[in-house]
Amino acid sequence: MHAPAHAPTGEAPVTGETLRTALAGLLDGLPPKQAAQAVERLIANYRGRTPTHTPVLRDRSDVAAYAAYRMPATFEAVRSALEAFRDRLPDFHPATHVDVGGGTGAATWAVAAAWPGDARTTTVLDWAEPALALGAELAGTVRSEPALSGARWQRRAIDAGLDLPEGTDLVTVSYVLGELTETDRHAVTDAAARAARAVVIVEPGTPEGYLRIIEARDRLIAAGFRVAAPCPHSAACPIERGTDWCHFSARVSRSSLHRQVKGGSLPYEDEKFSYVAAVRDMEIPPAPSRIVRKPQIRKGQVLLELCTPEDGLGRETVTKRHGSLYRAARDAEWGGEWPPPAEED
């Protein structure tokens, strides 16, 4: 474990608002209609089949538009996953971080938010040079986080030939596996497992994204890792494949570009994501249950859908007669641990 180096007094930690402020300047000079058209084209590309040797982010305009549109959502999803992981292992502070397929660096920003002020060496790997260049420019604006502003941005093919530095404390792979062939997905996961003490993989919260996470989870466990989050165990996922999928939600403030592209009026949207965080050669304290669906608040009771360490999936009903536990249940969040630490015996 590595002891944190605290941020200078008076300097604000990295937040979603910090990122949105930094992103706001990227679209200066780019007409809103052109930015929206670039985003729509890129979304169509990402929903198709993209060979790993052909980046769809072609130039700075593409990267700026897509970063302004997608980076806040990716940041919030990865930050949520990292915070769940950090809560399970509060003494873990990564001194080295490699962000695989990091693009403009959303996961790197999320690591800075999860472990603010820590001294850390960060390397972002991606195959798209325009994304790396803009990511470095964007990160350079955050002087309060040297691990972010001083990150190294390196062009690298994310495929079966990927080689990562052994002994890395943390490897993140976020919103990447869905762009890879099955062979490359396996190779990237295995490369992370060989190199890292901790691996956090995040994918869209869709049935397909969940299956990619389960596939990666299985490979990590086979490589000697233990699951730290979201699962309270390292046994097989109790969800019968094809009937449901495990995913969570992170709230994201919408920009004007979001509203223009999606035609929505709400000031926020909810980003659904699936993830696994796993570690090797570390002690993980016994896990409480995990809330795997949005709590259902009824008159005088709260229904919690749980993944438990012993029994797999289950439901707990908490009523007013449970006193302080009932109040905690009313405040409980999808993705949180149950019972909360203050209520544990």
Side-chain angles (χ1 to χ4, degrees):
M1 304 302 174
H2 301 275
H6 297 289
T9 303
E11 293 194 346
V14 170
T15 64
E17 183 58 35
T18 313
L19 177 58
R20 286 190 296 275
T21 299
L23 286 166
L26 294 182
L27 298 180
D28 283 353
L30 187 64
K33 185 176 180 181
Q34 182 181 343
Q37 288 173 342
V39 168
E40 288 169 345
R41 178 180 62 77
L42 292 164
I43 289 172
N45 263 325
Y46 272 118
R47 286 174 178 163
R49 293 184 178 274
T50 305
T52 58
H53 61 278
T54 309
V56 297
L57 298 174
R58 303 174 306 188
D59 54 31
R60 181 185 167 85
S61 294
D62 274 0
V63 175
Y66 200 72
Y69 178 75
R70 274 300 305 169
M71 206 173 162
T74 303
F75 166 82
E76 293 294 355
V78 179
R79 183 190 58 78
S80 295
L82 290 173
E83 288 186 352
F85 169 54
R86 184 197 62 198
D87 289 347
R88 296 290 300 122
L89 290 166
D91 293 330
F92 175 71
H93 292 267
T96 51
H97 168 222
V98 175
D99 186 9
V100 175
T104 54
T108 298
W109 283 70
V111 169
W115 290 280
D118 281 18
R120 183 171 50 254
T121 300
T122 298
T123 305
V124 184
L125 306 178
D126 201 88
W127 51 74
E129 186 64 42
L132 292 166
L134 190 138
E137 177 186 332
L138 195 64
T141 65
V142 188
R143 299 301 180 190
S144 62
E145 285 289 340
L148 181 56
S149 59
R152 297 176 295 195
W153 303 75
Q154 299 179 357
R155 191 163 190 259
R156 192 79 57 84
I158 311 301
D159 57 16
L162 182 66
D163 187 32
L164 301 175
E166 291 190 18
T168 300
D169 286 333
L170 173 66
V171 169
T172 54
V173 187
S174 61
Y175 290 76
V176 173
L177 297 184
E179 298 176 33
L180 306 180
T181 65
E182 181 180 16
T183 298
D184 289 344
R185 282 202 309 272
H186 293 172
V188 167
T189 302
D190 293 347
R194 286 192 302 271
R197 299 175 64 221
V199 177
V200 177
I201 302 176
V202 184
E203 282 288 298
T206 62
E208 297 79 11
Y210 160 73
L211 290 177
R212 291 191 291 270
I213 288 295
I214 288 298
E215 180 183 66
R217 180 184 186 273
D218 290 345
R219 297 187 79 84
L220 291 171
I221 292 171
F225 280 69
R226 295 175 61 202
V227 177
C231 322
H233 55 78
S234 296
C237 178
I239 296 175
E240 182 180 347
R241 298 187 189 188
T243 64
D244 203 352
W245 69 100
C246 181
H247 64 291
F248 303 94
S249 181
R251 181 142 294 184
V252 186
S253 294
R254 272 180 169 169
S255 66
S256 59
L257 181 59
H258 275 85
R259 292 192 289 271
Q260 185 174 358
V261 172
K262 289 197 170 181
S265 57
L266 289 175
Y268 64 85
E269 63 182 6
D270 292 320
E271 173 73 7
K272 305 298 195 302
F273 65 98
S274 296
Y275 76 99
V276 61
V279 299
R280 66 176 176 184
D281 302 326
M282 292 189 225
E283 288 296 321
I284 306 176
S289 300
R290 179 80 59 183
I291 302 171
V292 293
R293 287 290 181 270
K294 184 177 180 180
Q296 301 296 307
I297 300 178
R298 309 282 173 79
K299 186 175 181 179
Q301 62 181 14
V302 181
L303 306 181
L304 300 176
E305 300 286 345
L306 303 172
C307 184
T308 69
E310 302 85 8
D311 304 318
L313 298 177
R315 171 180 287 189
E316 183 171 333
T317 301
V318 186
T319 66
K320 283 186 175 179
R321 65 183 177 83
H322 290 100
S324 61
L325 198 62
Y326 171 70
R327 291 190 293 273
R330 289 184 61 88
D331 293 333
E333 296 182 349
W334 181 7
E337 296 181 350
W338 186 261
E343 299 293 340
E344 292 178 348
D345 294 331

